[in-house]
Amino acid sequence: NIRDLTHEVTVPDCRGHLHHFDQVPQRVVSLVPAATEILFEIGAAGQVAGLTWHDLRLDGASGKPVVGGFFQPSVRKIKDLSPDMIILSSLHKTVSAKFEAAGVTLFYYNAKSVDQAFDSIETFGRMFGRTEAAQQIVKINRDQIRHVQDKLKKAGIQKRKRVIRLMGRDTIMTPGSDSFQNELIRLAGGIPPDFGRSGSVVTVSSKEWLAF
């Protein structure tokens, strides 16, 4: 029964803040799609009380309350769900200010590298009593990366493709130079952009976009 931990756990979030749990969180609102997907993959979807509309493609997400999007989650909708933990990023300053003094655990997720993402998967595994499932997911992903790297070496490709994750609606946006997403592009054999700016999301000018 994952509702009861056999032992207490203390785990860090991506900011390095330590969180102590004597039981599995039961009403989690996840504002970070990557974290939401991890919870679903390790078998903790039942503890997700609310998510963003970016998560609706996940198997089992249908019917779960939606609190908005990553950039504009609704504080009112989050409050209505009475969460005992909110998974958020440093961009969610309004949510942080509203719930910090309300006794709700604020768990920051912002993996800046593939290794940090793997660490976070194992952290969630410990937090939700799904250690074995988390370790298996990390192993599968590491094996896939090694497989791709072996294929790239054998292929001997000299000219690699320029690859960008395009974001934004009214403006051109993309993950920053230090994003794990650009690390994944490199691991897959592509050349990601480097606009000289770090962060989860950066704005790109039309001139920079065309140059890339």
Side-chain angles (χ1 to χ4, degrees), residues 170-185:
D170 300 324
T171 58
I172 303 170
M173 304 175 79
T174 187
S177 300
D178 61 346
S179 168
F180 80 94
Q181 298 174 74
N182 285 331
E183 183 183 357
L184 283 174
I185 290 174

Side-chain angles (χ1 to χ4, degrees), residues 43-181:
Q47 281 62 56
V48 177
L51 36 67
T52 69
W53 58 262
H54 307 284
D55 308 311
L56 294 179
R57 64 179 179 81
L58 296 173
D59 186 23
S62 178
K64 286 189 177 291
V66 175
V67 298
F70 173 79
F71 287 106
Q72 291 185 318
S74 168
V75 170
R76 178 185 60 79
K77 289 182 179 180
I78 296 172
K79 185 178 180 181
D80 288 345
L81 294 175
S82 301
D84 57 4
M85 184 170 81
I86 301 172
I87 300 176
L88 71 171
S89 85
S90 56
L91 297 176
H92 297 123
K93 292 181 174 26
T94 301
V95 175
S96 174
K98 181 68 178 180
F99 291 95
E100 192 167 18
V104 180
T105 298
L106 300 181
F107 194 91
Y108 285 87
Y109 181 92
N110 183 27
K112 293 184 177 180
S113 69
V114 172
D115 282 339
Q116 190 175 15
F118 288 157
D119 288 343
S120 294
I121 292 173
E122 293 185 339
T123 293
F124 282 129
R126 293 177 59 201
M127 190 189 311
F128 288 89
R130 295 285 185 174
T131 302
E132 187 175 339
Q135 290 175 342
Q136 182 64 16
I137 290 170
V138 172
K139 181 182 183 304
I140 290 172
N141 277 271
R142 289 194 185 279
D143 288 345
Q144 288 176 339
I145 289 174
R146 280 192 292 268
H147 181 65
V148 171
Q149 294 297 295
D150 288 342
K151 281 186 170 291
L152 288 171
K153 290 178 182 177
K154 292 177 182 178
I157 299 174
Q158 298 299 316
K159 186 176 181 180
R160 299 191 174 188
K161 299 290 186 181
R162 294 187 302 279
V163 183
I164 186 172
R165 182 190 174 192
L166 191 59
M167 306 165 68
R169 292 184 178 179
D170 300 324
T171 58
I172 303 170
M173 304 175 79
T174 187
S177 300
D178 61 346
S179 168
F180 80 94
Q181 298 174 74

